[in-house]
Amino acid sequence: MFRKIICLLLLACTTASFTVEKIKSDNLLKLWYNTPAERWEEALPLGNGRLGAMVFGSPELEHLQLNEETVWAGEPGNNIPKGFGEILPQVRKLIFEEKYKEAETLTMSKVPRKAFADNNYGMSYQTVGDLWMNFPTLKNVNNYYRELDLKTAISTVTFQKDGVTYKREYYASAIDQVIVVRLTASKKGKITFDLKATSPHTTNQLQVEANQLVLSGKGESVDNKEGKIEFNARFFPVIDGGKLAKTDSSLVVSNADSATILISIATNFQNYKDLTGNAKEIAANYLLKAKNKSYNLIKREHVADYQKYFNRVSLDLGVTNSVNKPTDQRIAEFAKENDPQLVSLYFQFGRYLLISSSRPGTQPANLQGIWNGSNSPPWDSKYTVNINTEMNYWPAEVTNLPEMHEPLFAMLKDLSETGKQTATEMYGAGGWMMHHNTDIWRITGPVDGAFYGMWPMGGAWLSQHLWQHYLYSGDKKFLSQVYPILKGAAMYYSDVLQEHPKYKWLVVTPSMSPENTHPKGTSMTAGTTMDNQLVFDVFSNFIEASSILKVDGTFADTLKTMKQRLAPMQVGQHTQLQEWLEDWDRKEDTHRHISHLYGLYPSNQISPFVHPELFQAAQHTLEYRGDKSTGWSMGWKVNFWARLLNGDRAYKLIEDQLSPSPLEKKGEKGGTYPNLFDAHPPFQIDGNFGCTAGIAEMLLQSQDGSIYLLPALPTKWSKGEIKGLCARGGFTLDFKWENSKIVELTVYSSLGGNCRLRLANELHSEVALTKVSETIENPNPLYKRNIIKEPLINEKAELKSLLLGKTQLFDFDTQANKVYHFKSK
Ligand code: FUC
């Protein structure tokens, strides 16, 4: 008998260590660590689009910080400042008289730095609270291991104590709308813990109902808004063996063989103007459904549902021994080690974050996605739309996750409603508009005073996403559904554009180049380069949409005429792309926003093949601005350098991004936290998404009349393979390269139509490839180039002839739902 026990024990130990080893050798798409998280930025994020959790993975005191995406401070209502419409003509006049500071002072009288008592500058996204599981016997454990597996969206913790192997699994199921924690051990009766919850909300309550721990509370009151969100979080342990006891405010599990804790959270939020939901009922219903399913079924369905999206894209840039090191160590060593797989991991982590924070029917990903442990997070963790929200969605189409774009489209619909009043009351204009921030209540008024807030371009930029989705999908039904939003944006600008007294161009005023001060000591001005590029896109999209849908021809004609009167881009005295109408740019300006390069990325107004002078000017601008900056700024620069066809420089920016983030939560030196979250600092998710999109942009571009394969391949990635990237026109591509040349390519066409490839080396195929010259327009309408105005060039600018890598354009005709294969010659 004794020998038998020893044998069993030995077997248990070998099995346990085998499990730990096995997990370690299969770590390609995993974030993994040998210690529990101590800081929030070390914890691992889970999400199903609506619910989020940060898992710390501590054996003795497990901690999950929890979010539900509609837990925000405040209540419905916009934030339009009173009386701005009355001073608007005077503000414009002052700007045109070049009295910029005076224009700012006057604007500040209606749009002050801090909101007046009867207004607000947006509400904060807030945490629900924290779940704590106390395991009194699990001190000083051995063989600790913690991971987040991007292949399954499951986090796992394993460790050993007194010959027993413990395993914990955590995930957020979108199918069942619950977060699941599963506790098992290699021996029976070993699961003993108590379960508590806390919340930082002023109004909160913890109680035990039946066998559930229930945490309820309310969002905070801020400025002129009362906290009216009600949330209800329910924690329900389902145990095998052992027993469950309760106190007034905790549940106690003793000697169970295994336990599954189902976490359900809901609020009364129905939509931005309706809070009539019953939080308790909704949360209880999700729980009821989940608890009637077996654990294995919940898990199986979760994995299948997640993989439906995640598995569409794979990326192989090579694997080195670094993959056998914990993720935080790899980040620390990235600059000096050859670790291309960390880039693939980071890329796939970006896709994981998008699937986890933005699912159809949920809120769009905010500044922190859905992961926020505070009630007053940085910048309220709301939506900043002068770059950050857009950046969150840059990977959506190209990395084959178009469904995850939907929450942004839904928010745009809301904003096109709330933004009508702002257009009328503040600017006496039709259509809809918004400034640089919004929140769950869809505010559209200015935020943070004249200096940051008087940027009336939020609707112009956000609505580009609708058009881009159309270009990728060719979905005319979608286009007709969102057409009123595109039209409303165009109507607003057709009403507010003013003739510039000096240049006679039509310009937006007041406006600014986001957050950057010009030499006249303020940000406020007229007709910034970014304004002109955005209005150009808003008008161009509308004109195209109206012609495709065969509506509003007269308005389209008006816009065609107005488009001719917009300001052109200008190359300034330092051979830079001018940020403003005047040549005010300073070589030493390293501001994090480089808004005038919107025309380079994400827009397509600066093409090396059509406008080499603008292309060079953009290069100079970027050189002056420098590389190191906040996380999102570096993410944007990866895309810029990719569009500038400079793979090594884009790679350098990835290197800057994948460097350990500073511990201080402020400043402008971004980087990456141990859990791969982007550091502004502090944590802001846009840098993750921006960099993910940038990696895709280095491998494939489709904005400039063709599908350009490997447009910005760094020397370090001379060999690799990617599958499932999307190009405009409904094409999906798999390709492999060696010695920096394409060796295999597969093109899937979902819509049919002409496919134009830009290639550095020739490929052969069964289909006939026709060589075409640069000057022939791609007949595929989803590749139509918009013709921009000829740029103006300062006589001091030193332009050279542009040396581009040699490429050739090839056309072939595709049919819908057909696949085309190519190989190198
Ligand atoms: C913009 C940026 C800041 C920050 C904030 C949320 O205002 O200039 O760097 O990202 O948004």
Side-chain angles (χ1 to χ4, degrees), residues 652-669:
K652 151 80 170 54
L653 263 304
I654 295 177
E655 221 168 59
D656 291 338
Q657 178 71 16
L658 275 171
S659 66
S661 66
L663 285 176
E664 318 84 74
K665 297 205 166 179
K666 50 182 195 241
E668 302 229 338
K669 198 209 154 289

Side-chain angles (χ1 to χ4, degrees), residues 159-265:
F159 52 85
Q160 289 159 339
K161 170 83 184 171
D162 299 333
V164 180
T165 299
Y166 292 85
K167 182 173 177 190
R168 298 178 183 169
E169 281 181 329
Y170 318 75
Y171 51 90
S173 158
I175 298 281
D176 288 297
Q177 289 297 315
V178 285
I179 293 169
V180 183
V181 180
R182 168 83 165 166
L183 310 172
T184 53
S186 61
K187 256 192 185 171
K188 285 189 176 249
K190 285 291 173 187
I191 309 285
T192 294
F193 65 101
D194 62 67
L195 193 131
K196 287 187 182 135
T198 53
S199 172
H201 285 276
T202 328
T203 310
N204 81 77
Q205 207 187 4
L206 189 65
Q207 58 201 126
V208 172
E209 285 174 22
N211 286 343
Q212 298 172 15
L213 183 66
V214 183
L215 174 68
S216 52
K218 283 182 95 173
E220 308 301 298
S221 301
V222 178
D223 292 339
N224 68 337
K225 283 193 170 181
E226 202 184 310
K228 292 203 178 150
I229 286 285
E230 293 165 9
F231 65 83
N232 189 280
R234 311 180 85 81
F235 308 92
F236 180 51
V238 183
I239 58 171
D240 288 326
K243 69 178 208 286
L244 177 73
K246 353 176 195 185
T247 74
D248 283 352
S249 57
S250 71
L251 297 173
V252 185
V253 173
S254 320
N255 307 112
D257 301 334
S258 69
T260 305
I261 297 110
L262 299 172
I263 304 169
S264 172
I265 316 171

Side-chain angles (χ1 to χ4, degrees), residues 609 699 706-713 737-743 745 757-763 771 774 804-810 824-825:
F609 307 105
L699 301 174
S706 65
I707 299 177
Y708 193 167
L709 299 174
L710 305 180
L713 191 70
W737 64 96
E738 279 167 20
N739 298 322
S740 306
K741 299 234 159 29
I742 300 284
V743 289
L745 164 71
L757 300 172
R758 181 180 288 283
L759 298 170
N761 58 301
E762 272 192 49
L763 298 179
K771 270 191 190 182
E774 293 287 345
L804 296 172
K806 220 168 153 262
T807 55
Q808 171 68 52
L809 296 173
F810 295 92
S824 59
K825 280 197 167 164

